[in-house]
Amino acid sequence: MSPLRALRHFLTCHSTHALRAPANALPTAVRSLLLPAAWAIWRTGVCGWPLLSALALGGALAGPASGQSVDIPAPQAPSGRAQTDLPLEVIHTLRQAKVPPSALSVQITPLPDGTAAAKAWPRHLSHHAQASVNPASVMKLFTTYAGLSLLGPDHVWRNQVYTDGPVRDGVLHGSLIVRGSGDPKLVVERLQDLLAQVRAAGVREVRGDIVLDRSVFDVRERSEPFDDEPLRPYNVGPDGLLLNFKAVVYKFTPDTASGLVQVRFEPPLAGLSAPTQLPLSQAPCSDWRRQLQADFSQAQQVRFAGRYPASCGEREWPVAYPEPEAYAPRVMQALWLGAGGQLTGQVRYGTRPASAKLLLEAPSLPLSAIIQDINKFSNNVMAQQLYLTLSSELGAPGRLEASRLRLSQWWRQGFAGVDEPVLDNGSGLSRTERSTAQALTALLQAAHASPHARHFVDSLAIAGVDGTAARLKDRSPQSPVIGNAWLKTGSLRDVASVAGYVQGQSGQRYTLVAVLHHPNAHQARAALDQLLEWTVRDLDASTASRRPPNTPERKTAQRSAAR
């Protein structure tokens, strides 16, 4: 067999035999074609993206069709074979939750250039890592890193305001057009600032309509909500002119002296009516929303038939507006009139006429700030806005299918040989999105080696400190993971997941991906915390690595967990 033919043969790492081939199985002629680093990687049994990245034969990765370079320096996996046996405490937790080990996919891999103390025996675990699973909101990692790579951390969305008619003495004789850019975070404060800029530019009265142009995206509202909670803000759909996440926030401030709670809502919506006061109760604060007996069935008339527990203190309740199509016109009208503007026409949807002239442009927050909200706080609609922008920024209206194609092209060019993720809307709020732990590991390793590593890591929640990972401190106040892991969490009805970076006590940093997919996944969530802690406590790795891989205790635990 020629060296090149042998090389192609040994790079087909899809069979168990290939993954576990002994180090001396690779012919000398093939070894001479590999860089030393690639040879070390092959010996570990790690195939796909790290091996291809280390080959001197392949050259640089090709850029995308648009002419932009794909910013994905491919990392190299460290030496040392990954263990496949789960830690005993994880096995016990799964058994108690009646979750079989096969329902857990895990990949824990050291990052290159760890400290000398960790290099000999780093944590390295692979368990069902090639299984295609739904990792829930962890899928946002694909969207946000693709955004950084394709758009850049300084990318901004540019909201524009046009006039279709002359402006004389502060009066616009024609329509005012607000053209959305797909801005993921055009919240009420920024919308108020935009309208203040319109007034500062000389338009105080509109003798025509205010036209809302959202044609930058070609999407429609879902005919059915994702689940049976249609008024939860995570169910809000994307929009080319997304205002304040299409949500109303009700604020409750108790006044024990009067026995009443003051009720306010924001942003203002034209025509929306809601009670301003409610009676207090002495009931416990548990399930306080149910105690209010809220009725949101009439979009213009909110009712609370119950009482508010005084023990709750001040609380907020964000609710998705029940008529999402009417939300933006009603908010725009209320804010324009509330700021002292005048309007003779109506606020309606439409598109910018060719004759309209640009009045002003207002940039969004930069992408580096946007992805912090997406990943730290798992904002679904912001993730979908970014996902659609991957296609809209090419010039045509953003569509889900076009964004899937662009992300697929980006993946194949930068991660050749790694199973491609299956994306639906880029947020993980989907029953069809899929990935493997290996693919997520490839993404995390590449992101950590890229020029955008700081922005990507900063977008993740710090374990026990902020975002969706803050609750780890409540579950385990003394956990060594607190402050030592940067994570994206995920949760669906049958899914609990976590992925990100973990700092070991040895100084070695790791990528970690763990996905539970089972009807009892949430009862077994502690297993994810245990995997994080096992990774942090890597100073024990040298002792653990020298133990026989299948002790009687481990075999018994594995058999019990599988029952």
Side-chain angles (χ1 to χ4, degrees):
M1 182 182 295
S2 70
L4 284 175
R5 186 176 179 186
L7 178 62
R8 286 194 297 268
H9 172 75
F10 278 93
L11 293 188
T12 308
C13 296
H14 299 299
S15 69
T16 303
H17 173 74
L19 286 169
R20 298 181 179 176
N24 60 8
L26 190 61
T28 303
V30 176
R31 297 183 210 175
S32 65
L33 296 174
L34 302 177
L35 293 173
W39 166 234
I41 292 170
W42 186 86
R43 291 186 61 184
T44 70
V46 179
C47 26
W49 64 272
L51 183 54
L52 292 173
S53 71
L55 292 177
L57 303 174
L61 292 172
S66 64
Q68 293 176 291
S69 60
V70 178
D71 195 1
I72 311 173
Q76 298 175 2
S79 61
R81 185 181 297 277
Q83 71 178 72
T84 58
D85 294 336
L86 295 170
L88 288 174
E89 60 271 24
V90 173
I91 293 175
H92 290 317
T93 297
L94 295 176
R95 179 178 61 195
Q96 290 173 354
K98 298 181 180 179
V99 174
S102 59
L104 175 62
S105 297
V106 181
Q107 180 89 31
I108 299 171
T109 306
L111 283 160
D113 302 322
T115 64
K119 282 184 177 178
W121 298 100
R123 296 298 199 197
H124 200 180
L125 173 63
S126 180
H127 176 82
H128 291 289
Q130 290 180 302
S132 179
V133 294
N134 184 341
S137 283
V138 166
M139 292 295 290
K140 292 180 174 71
L141 296 177
F142 292 108
T143 301
T144 51
Y145 184 53
L148 284 174
S149 298
L150 294 169
L151 307 177
D154 298 326
H155 174 84
V156 293
W157 289 258
R158 300 189 180 278
N159 306 297
Q160 298 171 323
V161 179
Y162 292 82
T163 56
D164 186 26
V167 179
R168 292 190 293 266
D169 299 325
V171 178
L172 169 60
H173 297 270
S175 293
L176 186 76
I177 299 97
V178 181
R179 189 171 193 274
S181 60
D183 186 344
K185 198 176 181 181
L186 188 51
V187 292
V188 62
E189 295 83 2
R190 293 186 56 239
L191 183 56
Q192 289 171 327
D193 182 66
L194 176 68
L195 295 179
Q197 292 181 55
V198 171
R199 288 172 54 80
V203 178
R204 296 185 297 276
E205 180 181 350
V206 178
R207 291 185 181 173
D209 295 337
I210 295 179
V211 179
L212 308 181
D213 184 346
R214 52 183 181 168
S215 60
V216 67
F217 291 162
D218 182 9
V219 292
R220 291 170 177 80
E221 291 288 341
R222 295 193 195 100
S223 57
E224 296 291 336
F226 176 74
D227 55 20
D228 57 359
E229 297 279 357
L231 298 185
R232 296 287 292 271
Y234 63 72
N235 265 314
V236 168
D239 197 303
L241 183 59
L242 178 70
L243 301 185
N244 209 59
F245 311 128
K246 300 183 187 178
V248 182
V249 179
Y250 296 90
K251 298 187 176 183
F252 301 88
T253 306
D255 179 1
T256 53
S258 66
L260 298 172
V261 61
Q262 306 301 317
V263 183
R264 295 177 293 120
F265 66 86
E266 63 177 34
L269 278 85
L272 176 60
S273 174
T276 59
Q277 294 180 331
L278 293 173
L280 289 173
S281 76
Q282 300 305 312
C285 190
S286 59
D287 205 10
W288 61 274
R289 292 181 179 88
R290 186 179 297 275
Q291 295 182 51
L292 286 170
Q293 299 180 37
D295 180 3
F296 299 110
S297 60
Q298 302 298 317
Q300 295 291 78
Q301 179 65 60
V302 176
R303 293 181 173 84
F304 298 107
R307 293 171 175 262
Y308 181 82
S311 58
C312 288
E314 190 170 79
R315 296 287 178 113
E316 293 186 352
W317 186 0
V319 177
Y321 193 61
E323 290 184 0
E325 288 289 300
Y327 183 86
R330 287 172 179 167
V331 168
M332 186 67 72
Q333 180 178 338
L335 290 180
W336 175 250
L337 297 178
Q342 298 180 54
L343 175 67
T344 60
Q346 60 181 326
V347 183
R348 61 179 175 84
Y349 290 113
T351 56
R352 173 178 62 90
S355 59
K357 296 180 180 179
L358 181 65
L359 179 69
L360 61 88
E361 190 173 75
S364 71
L365 298 173
L367 177 61
S368 57
I370 293 295
I371 64 170
Q372 291 196 22
D373 281 343
I374 294 175
N375 285 337
K376 278 186 183 289
F377 302 102
S378 207
N379 190 302
N380 289 310
V381 71
M382 289 180 71
Q384 293 173 49
Q385 297 285 116
L386 172 56
Y387 186 68
L388 285 163
T389 300
L390 295 180
S391 56
S392 70
E393 67 99 25
L394 297 177
R399 298 180 177 90
L400 292 175
E401 182 56 35
S403 291
R404 286 184 208 114
L405 290 173
R406 190 174 189 201
L407 197 143
S408 175
Q409 178 191 48
W410 169 80
W411 182 265
R412 292 176 184 179
Q413 290 170 342
F415 298 87
V418 185
D419 288 339
E420 186 176 335
V422 177
L423 286 109
D424 174 18
N425 56 42
S427 72
L429 190 68
S430 169
R431 301 295 179 193
T432 61
E433 294 196 330
R434 291 287 187 277
S435 178
T436 65
Q438 283 188 343
L440 281 160
T441 298
L443 180 99
L444 289 166
Q445 295 253 337
H448 194 270
S450 81
H452 304 316
R454 178 176 62 85
H455 297 297
F456 187 72
V457 175
D458 286 350
S459 76
L460 302 177
I462 304 173
V465 176
D466 64 10
T468 59
R471 285 170 286 186
L472 184 142
K473 189 172 184 178
D474 298 330
R475 297 193 298 268
S476 183
Q478 304 304 317
S479 172
V481 180
I482 296 171
N484 287 310
W486 297 260
L487 306 170
K488 179 71 200 78
T489 62
S491 179
L492 286 173
R493 183 180 56 210
D494 298 336
V495 179
S497 58
V498 65
Y501 304 102
V502 180
Q503 183 74 37
Q505 291 173 338
S506 69
Q508 172 71 52
R509 184 170 285 197
Y510 302 85
T511 56
L512 178 146
V513 179
V515 182
L516 276 165
H517 199 294
H518 189 270
N520 293 344
H522 292 281
Q523 289 91 315
R525 181 175 281 277
L528 305 184
D529 292 348
Q530 290 166 339
L531 284 167
L532 288 166
E533 187 164 332
W534 178 81
T535 307
V536 169
R537 296 186 185 277
D538 64 345
L539 286 175
D540 299 332
S542 60
T543 302
S545 298
R546 289 180 173 86
R547 293 174 188 158
N550 284 297
T551 61
E553 180 187 15
R554 181 175 294 278
K555 287 182 177 180
T556 300
Q558 289 173 330
R559 284 196 299 269
S560 299
R563 291 188 185 123

